Amino acid sequence: MENTNEMTLEMDSRSCNEGLARITVAAFATQLNPTLEEVADIKTAVSEAITNCIVHAYEKETDKIRIDCTICGRELTVAVTDHGRGIENVEKAMEPMFTTKPEQDRSGMGFAFMEAFMDMLEVESEPGKGTVVRMKKKIGTGSQVFE
């Protein structure tokens, strides 16, 4: 039987909580004994997902963002869920350099960074109902701390 562990964090969609999300997910992943590079990759991907919720899903309103993390064997899965405005065209939104907020100097690289730093990225969205961003990363070959 593979070792598994789960964690859920729910927080307000405020930019001051982005750091909390990054650190919490990184701390959860440490039980897999990741390299510093793997931790940096995870933190960057989580940061991009949370920022998308704050800037695009809820715009100027405050609502909840939920992060679900699961470890199964050597794989970390992170799901970031919002119940905001949703994405009209997920395929278009995932194109590098595409942004709906050019006036805010947004680079349109959020999904591209998530895809580059994680092993798998999946985006499900329904306009008016919200978005779920699922990311997975296989963590090195170090020994697991929890058992």
Side-chain angles (χ1 to χ4, degrees):
M1 183 175 145
E2 283 191 291
N3 290 323
T4 61
N5 198 8
E6 296 179 356
M7 185 261 322
T8 298
L9 172 67
E10 188 173 83
M11 62 191 177
D12 285 344
S13 58
R14 299 180 188 278
S15 59
C16 62
N17 287 331
E18 183 230 341
L20 171 66
R22 288 169 52 98
I23 296 300
T24 303
V25 175
F28 182 74
T30 61
Q31 60 199 283
L32 292 174
N33 196 23
T35 64
L36 290 175
E37 182 179 352
E38 289 169 330
V39 171
D41 289 352
I42 293 164
K43 288 167 70 175
T44 299
V46 168
S47 179
E48 293 295 337
I50 296 299
T51 299
N52 277 355
C53 293
I54 294 166
V55 172
H56 299 288
Y58 297 125
E59 292 187 336
K60 292 175 176 42
E61 297 176 17
T62 300
D63 209 319
K64 299 296 180 191
I65 298 171
R66 178 180 166 136
I67 303 172
D68 293 289
C69 296
T70 305
I71 288 175
C72 185
R74 305 287 320 148
E75 188 172 71
L76 170 70
T77 301
V78 180
V80 178
T81 304
D82 69 65
H83 299 285
R85 51 187 286 181
I87 302 170
E88 289 282 332
N89 184 337
V90 172
E91 191 175 308
K92 182 76 173 163
M94 292 181 74
E95 289 178 8
M97 306 301 289
F98 175 80
T99 181
T100 58
K101 305 263 185 218
E103 72 282 357
Q104 293 182 11
D105 292 327
R106 297 286 163 192
S107 68
M109 295 298 291
F111 286 127
F113 286 147
M114 288 180 241
E115 204 163 34
F117 290 123
M118 301 297 273
D119 297 325
M120 187 279 295
L121 171 66
E122 181 180 277
V123 180
E124 296 174 22
S125 190
E126 190 174 336
K129 295 200 176 177
T131 302
V132 179
V133 172
R134 253 182 227 90
M135 304 175 281
K136 292 185 180 186
K137 187 161 189 77
K138 191 76 96 169
I139 304 297
T141 58
S143 63
Q144 291 181 338
V145 176
F146 78 95
E147 292 196 23

